[in-house]
Amino acid sequence: MANVADDSNPLLQDFEFPPFNAVEAKHVRSGILTILNGLESDLEELERTVHPSWPKLVEPLEKIMDKLTVAWGMINHLKAVKDTAELRAAIEEVQAEKVKFQLRLGQSKPVYNAFKALQGSADWNMLSDAQKRVVENQIKKAVLNGVALEDGKREEFNQIEQELEKLSKKFDENVLDATKKFEKLITDKKDIEGLPATAVGLAAQTAVSKGHENATPEDGPWVITLDGPSVMSLLKHARNRALREEIYRAYVTQASSGDIDNTLIIDQTLKLRLEKAKLLGYNNYAEVSMAMKMATVDKAEELLEKLRSASWEAAVQDMEDLKNFAKSQGAKESDDLSHWDINFWSERLRESKYDINEEELRPYFSLPKVMEGLFNLARTLFGIEIEAADGLAPVWNSDVRFYCVKDSSGNPTAYFYFDPYSRPSEKRGGAWVDEVVARSRVLSRDGVSARLPIAHMVCNQTPPVGTKPSLMTFREVEIVFHEFGHALQHMLTKQDEGFVAGNRGIERDAVELPSQFMENWCYHRDTLMGIAKHYETGESLPEDVYRKLLAARTFRAGSLSLRQIRLASVDLQLHTKYVPGGPESVCDVDRRVCEKTQVIPPLPEDRFLCSFIHVFAGGHAAGYYSYKWAEVLSADAFSAFEDAGLNDSKAVKETGQRFRETILALGGGKAPLQVFIEFRGREPSPDALLKHNGLLPVAA
């Protein structure tokens, strides 16, 4: 690969906003290697001159780490939203060098010793709480990075880290490739009966992109893929049971056979994680994962069991309700409901019970209206203004929007990109928030005011069709609110120490607090009525529909809760009790967990673990329980607003201000339990969550 001259390589330019429009695969190798070489000499310089003081240790270290985070973040982001074979290959070429440098940095003895010396010095008490957290975190991280290992052991540790990074990348690519590879061509209109217009439109659009250029929603052909919006719609709505079965089986076995098989990657990953844990002196990998979290293995298991036992009876009842309902509708399968029937009959039961049809509500949730309502809510609660700033920063696709966040005096405090629509051929599924840059005093651009944080917010919604805007399901509305919660914590931080600004330095099981907190507002009457306007007529969502949405919130709550508990439990089991190469396979572990978390057992060929990206490629290893852990925190935080009175606008504003000054402002500069207590006035309790889910046994 030819090296590109430095001055023309966008990765090497000085920028306020990354040149996302200019970075190509050909820039990756020379750009990243040049950056790594520069950082290598910066690190040598730091090690030579290091002194246990803030300016001589922490500031130069932050500069080194930031440079790599920003550059690698750019190409990693492009891989997620604009994937090409060339970009993948280019990243693969430099990945080992990048990991090597990260290990070298994480295992620097001089840096580690300086942190230890700073902790024991007379200056220690001069440091702020946030600065002390930075030092403590760096020491903890260095130990987890193998700094204290003997040379031979450290070599072994480093080989494991390199291998794990490769396995994680390959796992992720396999899932994307399996999703891309599968397509079910449908030519008979009977087979799409029951599918809503949006799904039919999407299937025809997909057919066109797969080479059936004459495909139309009316006459087909139609193509179903394993991409989230496509597969979920089919499982919920297609009347053709055999087709549902075929798609369901493909979905739970993706990336588990032939040339796209993650089975061995999982085995290898678990084996190496255990070896890594043992090298560091832990019993298992879950203990390593918990070292930087609020919970302990025991506390996490205890919470999951508490929630599981509160959910089980309700889930069994959910299943009975489905059987009875299917029977009342004359369904032949009612005595023998299987996995591909559950979503379908749940939707029919939801429609009959609450008379809510997810699809019929879409016209009330157009993306522009939803965003406007979300921004209004942020203004009410947190006193900020969000303004369109398109054109200020380069983007990677013309659909991407750019926004500026201003405080109540009109000063910019942050920026964010919003990439809303699904592009299955190049963009990974799901929704996420990432940092572009974090707030930082040291990396100030003018030497006076802190560098402002910038975030990415990415979703996968149905793209606009013709003149019709992107119309959302209510669940997609919740997802946008959720992701925006993450973005707010990144953007509204008041921490100037880059190491603990925004979401940085926050224990992983507390980071979902603001995101899940924001979801609660989707059920708040004024908020919802503010966004739910019909895109053509402008009329508001009918009052009775709002009431039904509220009632439907606890619909199948037991089943949905058990689903999350299955995922969290299998993740913990695989990283605590599972013995790689032992008598039990990973699928056996999953099946054992399912006995207590699933009312009907999984299919014998279920290989859902082969696409469990969170745990094998997404940084949630032995951490999936965090969603439930944080849900306890977020439900309890929202209950502070309920206690204050949701209709009392003064109380809501005051509570919102307190939330902003604690949970959104303090970042990783304080232990999350302290931050929570500062906001709530007490320790968290799971009761609010069980109450919101309708799973709290009501006192007789």
Side-chain angles (χ1 to χ4, degrees):
M1 205 178 281
N3 274 355
V4 182
D6 283 359
D7 55 354
S8 70
N9 189 328
L11 286 171
L12 301 174
Q13 288 158 9
D14 176 50
F15 50 76
E16 184 174 5
F17 304 117
F20 284 118
N21 57 338
V23 175
E24 292 173 38
K26 64 181 181 190
H27 301 124
V28 170
R29 187 190 151 84
S30 63
I32 293 295
L33 293 181
T34 305
I35 288 170
L36 288 172
N37 287 336
L39 293 179
E40 187 66 54
S41 45
D42 292 348
L43 179 56
E44 282 165 14
E45 171 70 9
L46 171 61
E47 289 179 330
R48 218 177 31 253
T49 59
V50 73
H51 181 268
S53 71
W54 206 258
K56 283 283 176 59
L57 165 63
V58 187
E59 292 182 6
L61 182 64
E62 187 187 330
K63 285 180 181 160
I64 291 174
M65 288 175 86
D66 190 82
K67 182 112 179 136
L68 182 58
T69 305
V70 172
W72 192 259
M74 280 168 70
I75 58 173
N76 225 14
H77 173 70
L78 287 171
K79 179 173 177 260
V81 294
K82 206 175 177 177
D83 182 47
T84 62
E86 294 74 24
L87 183 61
R88 271 186 196 193
I91 291 176
E92 198 159 329
E93 244 187 297
V94 293
Q95 181 135 18
E97 288 301 312
K98 174 237 176 193
V99 177
K100 193 170 128 195
F101 176 74
Q102 277 177 316
L103 287 165
R104 155 99 173 77
L105 178 65
Q107 294 170 349
S108 164
K109 280 264 168 57
V111 170
Y112 172 69
N113 291 333
F115 272 116
K116 295 284 280 184
L118 178 57
Q119 199 179 26
S121 73
D123 291 347
W124 179 246
N125 288 326
M126 312 291 283
L127 298 183
S128 69
D129 287 350
Q131 289 175 324
K132 286 179 179 167
R133 279 264 296 180
V134 171
V135 174
E136 286 157 1
N137 282 348
Q138 288 297 326
I139 291 171
K140 232 193 247 183
K141 271 192 189 143
V143 172
L144 292 174
N145 275 327
V147 74
L149 296 175
E150 299 306 316
D151 290 352
K153 290 251 172 83
R154 195 154 77 231
E155 276 303 289
E156 193 186 335
F157 180 90
N158 290 354
Q159 269 170 324
I160 289 175
E161 288 290 77
Q162 283 285 10
E163 194 51 37
L164 282 172
E165 186 95 6
K166 270 193 217 131
L167 289 168
S168 155
K169 180 171 180 286
K170 187 67 184 147
F171 186 98
D172 196 26
E173 286 170 2
N174 278 346
V175 176
L176 185 64
D177 291 344
T179 306
K180 263 193 209 170
K181 185 176 162 186
F182 178 90
E183 49 186 84
K184 169 71 177 168
L185 180 66
I186 297 175
T187 50
D188 184 346
K189 194 153 190 174
K190 277 217 302 293
D191 289 341
I192 58 162
E193 275 178 9
L195 283 191
T198 43
V200 175
L202 179 66
Q205 218 168 329
T206 307
V208 172
S209 73
K210 302 274 189 186
H212 306 274
E213 60 268 8
N214 300 324
T216 64
E218 296 71 39
D219 305 315
W222 304 270
V223 170
I224 301 295
T225 66
L226 296 180
D227 206 41
S230 178
V231 86
M232 285 328 289
S233 217
L234 186 122
L235 290 174
K236 281 180 175 177
H237 301 291
R239 292 200 190 113
N240 180 336
R241 188 176 185 223
L243 178 62
R244 292 200 309 266
E245 175 174 356
E246 183 187 343
I247 298 295
Y248 178 84
R249 285 180 185 274
Y251 191 60
V252 296
T253 55
Q254 62 178 329
S256 72
S257 62
D259 53 346
I260 306 179
D261 189 352
N262 275 334
T263 314
L264 287 172
I265 294 183
I266 292 177
D267 288 337
Q268 197 49 22
T269 300
L270 291 170
K271 181 169 160 285
L272 290 173
R273 282 175 181 167
L274 182 60
E275 284 172 21
K276 172 178 165 176
K278 293 266 161 77
L279 278 174
L280 292 171
Y282 290 95
N283 294 310
N284 55 53
Y285 188 76
E287 291 179 0
V288 177
S289 161
M290 303 284 179
M292 298 295 285
K293 296 195 170 79
M294 276 177 86
T296 58
V297 174
D298 291 347
K299 282 221 162 93
E301 284 178 342
E302 184 189 324
L303 176 68
L304 290 175
E305 181 49 38
K306 179 169 185 173
L307 298 176
R308 190 200 70 80
S309 55
S311 308
W312 181 260
E313 292 300 322
V316 171
Q317 189 55 51
D318 288 344
M319 200 62 200
E320 279 309 299
D321 294 348
L322 276 196
K323 282 181 186 163
N324 294 335
F325 180 71
K327 189 173 264 164
S328 75
Q329 301 299 300
K332 291 196 288 293
E333 68 264 28
S334 63
D335 287 328
D336 185 28
L337 289 187
S338 197
H339 297 275
W340 44 89
D341 301 318
I342 291 177
N343 278 314
F344 178 79
W345 285 111
S346 297
E347 273 310 296
R348 305 296 77 76
L349 176 57
R350 186 205 304 269
E351 288 162 6
S352 96
K353 203 170 171 175
Y354 305 106
D355 191 23
I356 291 180
N357 174 324
E358 263 201 335
E359 291 299 320
E360 284 170 11
L361 292 185
R362 275 188 196 260
Y364 287 99
F365 298 118
S366 68
L367 181 66
K369 268 315 239 187
V370 169
M371 297 313 287
E372 189 189 319
L374 180 53
F375 296 167
N376 287 338
L377 176 67
R379 179 193 304 133
T380 303
L381 293 178
F382 312 125
I384 56 174
E385 295 292 336
I386 295 163
E387 292 174 8
D390 300 300
L392 185 61
V395 292
W396 52 94
N397 182 292
S398 57
D399 290 330
V400 176
R401 303 289 317 270
F402 190 66
Y403 293 96
C404 175
V405 180
K406 297 185 169 176
D407 63 19
S408 48
S409 327
N411 303 314
T413 54
Y415 297 93
F416 69 99
Y417 301 84
F418 180 41
D419 183 349
Y421 311 125
S422 143
R423 297 189 293 277
S425 61
E426 61 172 16
K427 180 176 171 182
R428 79 178 159 84
W432 67 92
V433 160
D434 246 337
E435 68 168 54
V436 181
V437 301
R439 184 177 170 91
S440 166
R441 173 182 54 81
V442 171
L443 288 146
S444 159
R445 289 191 65 78
D446 58 8
V448 184
S449 47
R451 174 180 72 182
L452 298 182
I454 308 174
H456 280 306
M457 182 157 127
V458 185
C459 294
N460 263 288
Q461 300 186 177
T462 315
V465 181
T467 56
K468 196 157 82 173
S470 173
L471 300 178
M472 301 160 72
T473 62
F474 184 63
R475 180 66 201 126
E476 286 176 326
V477 175
E478 289 181 294
I479 289 171
V480 167
F481 273 62
H482 176 104
E483 296 305 336
F484 197 58
H486 283 306
L488 286 169
Q489 189 169 39
H490 178 68
M491 299 189 297
L492 298 189
T493 191
K494 298 199 168 169
Q495 285 295 356
D496 288 343
E497 297 300 342
F499 280 121
V500 288
N503 314 13
R504 290 180 173 188
I506 295 181
E507 281 70 353
R508 271 306 276 264
D509 42 7
V511 293
E512 295 296 330
L513 193 174
S515 50
Q516 292 170 339
F517 163 82
M518 287 300 289
E519 284 184 49
N520 288 290
W521 292 99
C522 298
Y523 293 92
H524 174 236
R525 193 178 178 289
D526 294 354
T527 303
L528 188 68
M529 290 312 206
I531 59 178
K533 307 277 186 217
H534 196 287
Y535 79 99
E536 287 172 315
T537 64
E539 65 172 311
S540 294
L541 188 74
E543 180 65 35
D544 63 318
V545 177
Y546 165 67
R547 280 207 289 275
K548 285 171 188 161
L549 267 179
L550 210 53
R553 185 179 189 181
T554 57
F555 178 61
R556 296 180 57 73
S559 305
L560 297 174
S561 169
L562 282 188
R563 163 100 185 127
Q564 289 296 87
I565 291 164
R566 169 196 174 182
L567 302 182
S569 303
V570 75
D571 170 37
L572 274 184
Q573 290 276 329
L574 289 175
H575 293 99
T576 49
K577 303 182 179 63
Y578 170 72
V579 182
E584 227 188 358
S585 75
V586 290
C587 292
D588 294 337
V589 175
D590 186 32
R591 260 189 271 295
R592 185 160 50 72
V593 166
C594 285
E595 285 169 15
K596 297 181 105 178
T597 57
Q598 233 173 262
V599 179
I600 48 174
L603 294 180
E605 66 271 34
D606 185 315
R607 293 289 177 276
F608 127 83
L609 289 173
C610 288
S611 56
F612 197 2
I613 287 184
H614 285 82
V615 165
F616 296 108
H620 280 280
Y624 198 88
Y625 77 89
S626 302
Y627 284 101
K628 280 290 167 209
W629 186 269
E631 237 181 287
V632 165
L633 302 174
S634 62
D636 202 0
F638 187 72
S639 72
F641 288 82
E642 293 174 323
D643 294 351
L646 286 172
N647 299 323
D648 178 342
S649 58
K650 185 165 168 284
V652 164
K653 276 201 163 86
E654 281 168 8
T655 314
Q657 207 43 43
R658 198 164 74 242
F659 190 86
R660 182 188 172 172
E661 295 302 328
T662 51
I663 287 159
L664 297 180
L666 298 174
K670 254 195 183 157
L673 184 60
Q674 294 321 113
V675 175
F676 185 88
I677 291 171
E678 258 182 59
F679 168 67
R680 197 67 183 92
R682 58 164 174 74
E683 293 209 3
S685 142
D687 289 350
L689 175 62
L690 292 171
K691 186 178 120 210
H692 289 168
N693 285 342
L695 296 172
L696 200 60
V698 180

